[in-house]
Amino acid sequence: MQGAGKEATGTTSQLAVSASQVEAYFLKEGGNWDISPDQERIKVVTVGNYVVLGQLTALRFLEYVSANPEGVAALPTGKTPEYFIKWTQHYLANWESEAKDGMLAKVGLGGKPKPRMNGLRFVQLDEFFPIRPDHERSFAYFIKKFYIQGFGLDPARALLIDSFTIPAGLEEAAFPYKNLQQIFSQGEIDLGLRVRQPANERESMQQKMLLRFDAFCEDYEQKIRAMGGIGFFLGGIGPDGHVAFNIRGTSHYSTTRLDQLNYESQAAASTDLGGIDAVRRKAVITIGLGTITYRKDVVAIIMAAGETKAPIVAAALEKPAGIHAPASCLQGLPNTRFFLTTGSSSRLRARRQAMMAAQDTVSPREIERLVIDGALSEAVSGLHISEAQAKLADVPEWRLASKLSRRSVPELLAAAHANIRAKIERGTHMPSEKVFLHTAPHHDDIELAYFPAIHHLVRSERHQSYFCYLTSGFTAVTNEYLMARLKQLDNLLMTGGLGRKISLADLHNPATAQQEIHGYLNAIAQRNRDTEEYFTACRLARFVFERRKEVSVSEAQAFVHSQISVLEGLEPGQVDPEAIQMLKGWIREWEAELVWAHFGHGRDHVHHLRLKFYTGAIFPEDPDYQRDVVPILQLVERVKPNIVTVAMDPEGSGPDTHFKVLIAVARALEEYVKLHPDEARGMRVWGYRNIWSRYHVAEADSIIPTSLNSFAVLDNMFKSCFISQRTASFPSHELNGTFSELAQKIWVEQHNDLNKLLGREFFYGDEHPMMRRAYGAIYLKDMSYEEFRAEMEPMYRFMESKKSLLG
């Protein structure tokens, strides 16, 4: 490791591997697995959750700065580094006490002085093009707030990207345009202008700016190299494996450049800029993979949390370096590391087997998972192979499962086969005469997780079903959609058309709110889009009247005008003012009420709790007991459910809102069981996952066969009711389509796995029509309250670790 001053480059053969005491400590704590370099081509350190991941990364960063006070660092932006930032700030603020008898002492930093952060040189990784530097979602804004101000870096020693200001010397030529955003205000940025003839004066100006920024990127690259290259690189990994904005297919020798994103990266960035359409209109500036690896002894760390990152992590670590996984460019560098949580490392085959082999006891579910993973591998055709074939098959997962369980492979295959059959049997026989409380973080989570499993239940008189939406869900509504709805309402208010089908008196009366719901559903039946939009406007007007207490039409119109003006002044991705958040939340609530009205459930069965922890902040706070838990408890006490459904996010990464809602619901149920033991006796909890994460078949307790008809019902309902989501403005990276289409894709994939595990004749040769018509499968986790409480125990410990950091 180089000391203070300019860091030198060199060949790999000349460089010593950095001896990190921080890494040594966490390897000892978490398990120093002996994985061969041909199985994992980059060294890995695993931790339990993303709070500890941030702690590990912060300590490793401070260790680097302590040894390299004038080193060159490049750090990430976005949600991924939240706890890296918080831990770094914590240790800088509490260096003496932590160095004396805290974590700094444990990792070998106790005897060192507090790092001199203002000597560090900083390199910005990437930026949208164009975007104002003070835009709340620009990466320059993030860097200034959290790194320069938050860490005490010297802004004069920071190399930043300004993709907004017209470059020096071109101001006169650019007149009358004042900035790049004005120059590129018409639609998408066409990088083809670099080589084609401009069609008009505006395109000519755009071409000049593109070529000037190509020169800027070349100069930026040379400035980094003049520093000696990046000494400490920290980055996340995108759904396609992108590092910085180096997307899948990028050359490992790439340098800083102006480029465009692929679909997966656009989808991942959609929340930053208020929807994927806004991202598609942007280009990006990014350092290259060759920029990152220019200095061969760079301390290059990729951090990843959550099971959704596990496949791309495995691709980067287990396969030879290639353009299939940009992060694989780090293979071969001695100081490269992947810092991972348990979830993001779960697809690393050799590591998982080593971890299980080292355990004293392994649960039956883990044994079953090994057996199933082996059966789904390319080596064999499933669980239904003959005993002779099972004995001959050389499957590592089966060998380990047999060793750990002390049972033969044929026995394990038979047991797994029987367990899956029992889960399917359970899924084909739903409970009867129960009170359900279906809870959801967002307004489409229930539908996208298990709607086909319950749409028979919710229309039965033998059940009572209540639906509870925990947040306002406003971030899923684009400014463009809200603007269209407000302008339509403004037109109806101005022309007097609002009272055409529902009187203004009724719109002021909360007891008549089913009128616009029935009107909207009739419009669906008639395929009349204009009437659908009319009743949507009526509901928005009702919300305005209710919120503002008996306002007149003129006062309502003034309010609508004021919000239209606010929207016109907002750039995509800017944090919404409170009134805009409220309007977007009302739209989401209306959409959810339409869903259950399909089955005859009125507003009295649909509850919107609008928990206050849910905000537009990039790092929102955790649930508070009085503010966020008590309202859930009060609803549970009123409903007295036999079955409660919850979105189970196992790690708190992915959709952070899911995890926080899960914690709030779990705390409310815990209190309910304490206060009302008799009423809570026998209560069960159904854990579900949806498009953001999914269960392994071994984790599920109930498997529900799903028909083509169920797919059609879900898709029709989703596109009819979730009007703001028809264009998939905030899509998943997995599919360029609506969430209902993605849910179907997931269920079909799960059914295909079952076909391989059990054999196609298991379904299509069965005498039961429900089995023969199945083309998808939904997985649920069906738990007693005690089992649910045990599942939550690690998450409670996780929350306690967050409290210790946040004080």
Side-chain angles (χ1 to χ4, degrees):
M1 180 75 75
Q2 292 283 319
K6 185 172 181 176
E7 301 166 273
T9 60
T11 63
T12 303
S13 61
Q14 296 172 328
L15 300 173
V17 176
S18 171
S20 168
Q21 291 179 275
V22 170
E23 290 174 13
Y25 174 85
F26 280 89
L27 284 169
K28 181 179 178 182
E29 290 294 306
N32 190 0
W33 315 111
D34 186 20
I35 311 296
S36 69
D38 62 329
Q39 291 175 308
E40 289 181 4
R41 298 165 188 269
I42 298 174
K43 292 185 178 180
V44 171
V45 182
T46 57
V47 295
N49 56 63
Y50 75 113
V51 172
V52 182
L53 178 68
Q55 182 183 38
L56 160 65
T57 311
L59 289 166
R60 184 65 185 92
F61 171 63
L62 291 169
E63 183 180 43
Y64 170 84
V65 179
S66 181
N68 299 271
E70 296 183 5
V72 180
L75 304 177
T77 54
K79 291 184 177 293
T80 298
E82 175 181 4
Y83 282 93
F84 161 70
I85 291 167
K86 289 178 177 177
W87 279 114
T88 300
Q89 292 175 334
H90 169 80
Y91 289 125
L92 289 173
N94 299 277
W95 188 270
E96 290 186 6
S97 60
E98 288 282 357
K100 182 179 179 182
D101 51 15
M103 184 59 79
L104 293 176
K106 293 178 182 179
V107 300
L109 292 173
K112 299 183 183 297
K114 181 178 176 180
R116 185 167 57 86
M117 303 300 292
N118 62 0
L120 199 66
R121 287 168 291 178
F122 184 91
V123 172
Q124 183 173 344
L125 298 177
D126 45 20
E127 184 60 279
F128 294 111
F129 178 93
I131 192 169
R132 286 187 298 104
D134 58 347
H135 188 296
E136 294 99 323
R137 290 295 184 262
S138 81
F139 299 148
Y141 176 88
F142 185 102
I143 288 164
K144 290 172 184 175
K145 180 176 181 179
F146 294 108
Y147 294 144
I148 292 176
Q149 297 174 16
F151 290 2
L153 305 184
D154 181 355
R157 296 173 68 81
L159 187 59
L160 302 181
I161 299 170
D162 181 352
S163 66
F164 182 77
T165 305
I166 292 172
L170 293 180
E171 298 93 344
E172 185 176 344
F175 184 82
Y177 305 113
K178 297 180 179 179
N179 54 62
L180 289 164
Q181 205 153 277
Q182 291 181 357
I183 293 173
F184 290 95
S185 62
Q186 304 296 315
E188 296 182 8
I189 293 173
D190 180 10
L191 296 186
L193 268 172
R194 287 166 166 154
V195 295
R196 73 170 173 82
Q197 191 75 17
N200 51 49
E201 193 173 316
R202 177 184 285 274
E203 282 198 351
S204 180
M205 178 58 61
Q206 291 174 347
Q207 183 185 66
K208 288 179 183 177
M209 293 301 159
L210 291 177
L211 294 176
R212 179 62 185 84
F213 269 86
D214 285 338
F216 165 85
C217 291
E218 177 67 20
D219 181 61
Y220 196 86
E221 180 75 21
Q222 293 308 314
K223 285 179 179 178
I224 295 172
R225 296 191 178 202
M227 296 178 192
I230 296 169
F232 183 93
F233 171 85
L234 176 63
I237 186 167
D240 68 326
H242 73 243
V243 176
F245 271 141
N246 293 283
I247 60 176
R248 184 182 60 251
T250 297
S251 167
H252 288 190
Y253 302 99
S254 58
T255 57
T256 304
R257 65 202 181 280
L258 180 62
D259 209 343
Q260 288 180 314
L261 298 178
N262 58 6
Y263 168 74
E264 294 98 322
S265 298
Q266 289 172 345
S270 62
T271 54
D272 290 322
L273 292 181
I276 195 168
D277 286 342
V279 178
R280 283 174 173 150
R281 290 193 291 268
K282 301 283 186 186
V284 294
I285 295 174
T286 181
I287 65 170
L289 297 178
T291 317
I292 298 168
T293 60
Y294 172 72
R295 183 184 175 90
K296 299 309 177 186
D297 63 348
V298 57
V299 177
I301 296 168
I302 299 295
M303 59 190 302
E307 290 184 14
T308 57
K309 294 294 179 69
I312 194 60
V313 165
L317 292 177
E318 294 183 336
K319 296 179 181 179
I323 61 173
H324 66 283
S328 67
C329 74
L330 301 174
Q331 293 180 16
L333 298 181
N335 298 325
T336 294
R337 300 289 184 270
F338 266 57
F339 288 175
L340 306 174
T341 63
T342 304
S344 61
S345 67
S346 61
R347 294 288 187 92
L348 297 175
R349 196 173 184 185
R351 177 166 298 269
R352 185 172 182 82
Q353 292 178 30
M355 291 171 63
M356 293 185 69
Q359 295 177 21
D360 295 329
T361 59
V362 179
S363 71
R365 283 190 193 271
E366 287 292 341
I367 295 294
E368 184 175 314
R369 183 166 185 159
L370 276 174
V371 174
I372 290 170
D373 286 346
L376 290 173
S377 70
E378 295 180 3
V380 293
S381 59
L383 297 169
H384 51 89
I385 62 176
S386 68
E387 186 169 325
Q389 289 174 313
K391 289 179 179 178
L392 291 174
D394 185 25
V395 181
E397 288 87 352
W398 290 359
R399 289 200 309 271
L400 180 58
S402 180
K403 177 182 177 182
L404 294 173
S405 65
R406 298 183 177 86
R407 300 173 70 185
S408 71
V409 170
E411 285 181 298
L412 292 171
L413 295 180
H417 197 287
N419 281 347
I420 295 175
R421 292 179 62 177
K423 294 172 184 181
I424 295 171
E425 177 70 16
R426 191 176 299 120
T428 58
H429 294 85
M430 285 289 176
S432 61
E433 298 181 359
K434 301 293 183 182
V435 178
F436 286 83
L437 178 59
H438 303 274
T439 72
H442 305 99
H443 297 81
D444 51 9
D445 283 324
I446 294 169
E447 297 82 348
L448 297 171
Y450 61 102
F451 180 77
I454 65 165
H455 78 261
H456 297 292
L457 295 178
V458 297
R459 58 190 185 188
S460 169
E461 293 181 355
R462 295 189 300 166
H463 302 283
Q464 294 184 56
S465 292
Y466 297 88
F467 307 93
C468 175
Y469 298 99
L470 281 303
T471 74
S472 74
F474 71 89
T475 58
V477 180
T478 64
N479 291 354
E480 291 81 0
Y481 181 81
L482 177 59
M483 178 72 83
R485 300 284 70 78
L486 287 173
K487 285 184 175 179
Q488 182 191 35
L489 176 56
D490 180 44
N491 182 61
L492 290 171
L493 288 167
M494 181 176 61
T495 61
L498 187 64
R500 187 172 76 244
K501 295 178 182 291
I502 302 179
S503 71
L504 293 179
D506 280 347
L507 288 175
H508 279 83
N509 182 3
T512 64
Q514 286 296 126
Q515 285 191 40
E516 57 265 31
I517 291 176
H518 295 318
Y520 186 94
L521 296 184
N522 275 323
I524 290 176
Q526 297 164 12
R527 297 182 180 272
N528 189 325
R529 182 63 64 87
D530 289 341
T531 305
E532 289 177 23
E533 292 183 352
Y534 165 79
F535 283 109
T536 298
C538 286
R539 174 50 66 92
L540 194 56
R542 180 184 297 279
F543 280 134
V544 171
F545 292 148
E546 288 180 0
R547 173 76 175 182
R548 300 181 69 81
K549 306 300 181 188
E550 297 294 329
V551 296
S552 66
V553 168
S554 60
E555 289 171 324
Q557 194 166 12
F559 173 75
V560 170
H561 284 170
S562 68
Q563 300 313 307
I564 289 174
S565 296
V566 170
L567 282 173
E568 288 174 340
L570 284 177
E571 292 181 45
Q574 278 189 281
V575 176
D576 292 330
E578 185 178 350
I580 298 297
Q581 291 183 15
M582 177 183 66
L583 287 165
K584 290 181 176 181
W586 288 346
I587 286 171
R588 295 294 277 153
E589 291 172 7
W590 156 248
E591 292 172 344
E593 289 174 18
L594 291 174
V595 172
W596 304 118
H598 269 67
F599 303 98
H601 291 286
R603 295 183 83 195
D604 57 330
H605 279 246
V606 183
H607 301 271
H608 309 290
L609 296 193
R610 306 172 187 169
L611 300 186
K612 299 298 183 184
F613 77 83
Y614 184 81
T615 67
I618 189 168
F619 301 142
E621 58 187 292
D622 288 325
D624 172 80
Y625 181 82
Q626 288 297 329
R627 183 192 63 194
D628 300 312
V629 175
V630 169
I632 305 172
L633 171 61
Q634 292 170 342
L635 178 60
V636 174
E637 288 176 323
R638 290 201 303 273
V639 171
K640 299 180 176 59
N642 307 121
I643 297 174
V644 180
T645 71
V646 295
M648 295 287 286
D649 187 315
E651 207 173 309
S653 55
D656 193 46
T657 302
H658 285 207
F659 178 78
K660 292 176 179 178
V661 164
L662 173 61
I663 292 294
V665 172
R667 291 296 190 193
L669 293 180
E670 183 177 41
E671 193 68 15
Y672 176 69
V673 170
K674 288 179 184 176
L675 294 173
H676 310 282
D678 293 335
E679 294 173 352
R681 188 171 292 114
M683 181 176 67
R684 299 195 69 80
V685 179
W686 286 3
Y688 65 84
R689 294 184 186 165
N690 55 25
I691 55 174
W692 302 112
S693 63
R694 57 211 62 171
Y695 284 121
H696 190 282
V697 64
E699 295 178 285
D701 299 294
S702 182
I703 298 174
I704 300 96
T706 306
S707 67
L708 292 174
N709 181 63
S710 293
F711 294 155
V713 171
L714 170 67
D715 194 56
N716 179 268
M717 176 278 298
F718 188 89
K719 292 173 180 175
S720 296
C721 297
F722 290 107
I723 319 107
S724 67
Q725 307 303 302
R726 282 174 178 159
T727 57
S729 295
F730 301 93
S732 165
H733 68 274
E734 291 187 59
L735 182 74
N736 189 0
T738 63
F739 286 148
S740 56
E741 292 166 346
L742 177 55
Q744 177 176 332
K745 176 179 179 287
I746 292 167
W747 299 335
V748 169
E749 289 172 353
Q750 292 176 168
H751 185 258
N752 288 342
D753 284 346
L754 295 176
N755 274 329
K756 181 173 183 180
L757 292 170
L758 305 177
R760 292 184 64 83
E761 284 302 305
F762 178 82
F763 286 97
Y764 304 124
D766 194 280
E767 63 182 21
H768 198 299
M770 186 174 181
M771 298 289 281
R772 293 199 304 274
R773 71 185 184 217
Y775 290 91
I778 292 171
Y779 297 167
L780 292 176
K781 195 169 180 63
D782 182 358
M783 300 165 279
S784 66
Y785 173 74
E786 291 73 20
E787 290 169 330
F788 172 69
R789 181 65 177 76
E791 285 271 327
M792 292 301 300
E793 193 58 46
M795 300 184 204
Y796 289 154
R797 291 196 297 270
F798 170 44
M799 293 299 290
E800 289 303 315
S801 71
K802 292 177 76 171
K803 285 182 182 178
S804 68
L805 165 63
L806 301 174

